[in-house]
Amino acid sequence: MKKALFSPMIFAFLTLFILIIIPNSWVERFIPKQRVSQAATALNPLMFQGKYIQSKMLQDDRYLPMYGSSELARLDRFHPSNYFKENYDGFTPFLVGRGGSISLIHFLNFAEHTDELKGKKLVFVLSPQWFQPQGADLSHFVPNYSILQGYDLAFNNKIDPKVKKIAIERLLKFKPIQDDRMLSTIYRGEISNNPMDKDKAAFVRPFAKAYRLMLTKKDLYYSIAGGPKSKRDISPEVRNKSWEELKNEADQMGKQQATNNSFYVINAKYNTIKKKVQLLKDSKRGASYGKSVEYLDFQLVLDVLKQSGAKPLFISVPVNGRWYDYTGFPKEGRTSYYKRIKNQIESQGYPIADFSNHEYDPYFMKDTIHIGWKGWVYVDKAIKDFYEKN
């Protein structure tokens, strides 16, 4: 009985041991060559919370990385992934992000790839709703936090120490880091002047390094397996059309899909909130995106991109003005965000495609906060103009 009980455990341990000691270069041979192209629109967190696939993508001039959050999943014929597939302009957008991918998440990602970002053009889509007064909450941070990127930051000696210190101080406020004894010990040793904290960090550092190697190997095995893909609405209808033709078609599609409300919200989304609509009237009085911890986190993004030598284009997405007016969210609470984020980006010398004047443009937004239909047409043009600039 004992032999029968322990044999599977011994076999499992040996299997795990073998998988860990196999050299990374051997594992990489089994990763399909098409994995990067498959991951470009998959929006699979296993791919962008790791580093292998993104490293390969950033080294390949055929890809234009596009970072953002939940708007990236609003895939329709006007979405950049479809538009530039049907109107190939020398690049394929590679989507990185999902709902809750706020500035700190993107900072960790960029810090992971500073060398590969040098001279790389990229697009970064901003969402006003990130800029809540208290910044990101756990419900957004936890599912998007990459343990591998967290550990790699601990061993990253390439980024500016001042930027790293500010980032660590912010990260230590989040429970996943606090609960990770090894990582939090190293982080505290990094920013503390207390010799005891530094001694503790030095003690756990070898163990953390071994764990980090395991996480790296795990990322390679995930890269072999791939993962689920998001469904895409691929359509050749956008091929070889002028921008005005595309805007008109986007208007027509919006009219067909947003018919049951006065906010120009797609029917499917409105159906999920219509029972609450009366309760939400004037529920956001006094709210503002003008003051938020998120601006400090976003500065970390700007700092690491500046240090890496990346060439970003920032997309400033508006909110649905009609809906925000209905909920009582003050106009000033939105315009203060648009102005502040624009000034913050331009002060670093970076371009911004500012669409804040489209709050009331019918069918620019697909729902209350996500860009869609006509909005994507404007974004496509901004991306094309940016990419073609030397």
Side-chain angles (χ1 to χ4, degrees), residues 178-218:
Q178 295 169 0
D179 291 345
D180 188 329
R181 295 292 182 86
M182 275 198 305
L183 185 59
S184 60
T185 298
I186 293 176
Y187 276 2
R188 290 192 180 96
E190 184 95 17
I191 64 174
S192 175
N193 293 320
N194 187 329
M196 187 175 293
D197 288 336
K198 294 194 176 295
D199 287 344
K200 289 179 181 178
F203 176 77
V204 303
R205 207 168 177 84
F207 301 100
K209 192 171 185 179
Y211 183 51
R212 176 192 176 208
L213 292 173
M214 288 177 60
L215 292 171
T216 302
K217 185 66 63 65
K218 181 181 176 182

Side-chain angles (χ1 to χ4, degrees), residues 91-120:
F91 67 91
T92 297
F94 190 103
L95 309 180
V96 181
R98 63 173 180 169
S101 296
I102 34 72
S103 298
L104 268 180
I105 298 299
H106 287 299
F107 165 79
L108 283 170
N109 197 1
F110 289 138
E112 180 85 274
H113 299 285
T114 48
D115 290 340
E116 295 141 342
L117 284 166
K118 184 175 177 60
K120 186 76 175 180

Side-chain angles (χ1 to χ4, degrees), residues 76-79 81-87 232-239 241 249 253:
D76 59 37
R77 69 176 62 176
F78 306 105
H79 189 286
S81 290
N82 186 63
Y83 175 80
F84 289 107
K85 180 180 183 296
E86 298 300 329
N87 298 276
R232 294 186 294 166
D233 178 15
I234 297 300
S235 171
E237 294 297 320
V238 296
R239 192 179 301 165
K241 300 235 176 120
E249 289 184 12
M253 183 170 285

Side-chain angles (χ1 to χ4, degrees), residues 220-243:
L220 292 178
Y221 286 124
Y222 279 154
S223 298
I224 292 174
K229 297 180 182 179
S230 293
K231 292 182 179 180
R232 294 186 294 166
D233 178 15
I234 297 300
S235 171
E237 294 297 320
V238 296
R239 192 179 301 165
N240 300 325
K241 300 235 176 120
S242 70
W243 297 117

Side-chain angles (χ1 to χ4, degrees), residues 2 28 30 36 39 53 57-58 98 115 122 125 172 185 201 211 222 226 278 285 310-311 381 383:
K2 287 185 178 180
E28 289 176 19
F30 293 94
V36 176
I53 295 297
M57 176 271 293
L58 291 169
R98 63 173 180 169
D115 290 340
L122 61 91
V125 184
L172 280 169
T185 298
Y211 183 51
Y222 279 154
Q278 289 297 325
R285 286 181 177 175
K311 297 179 178 179
K381 186 178 186 305
I383 292 173

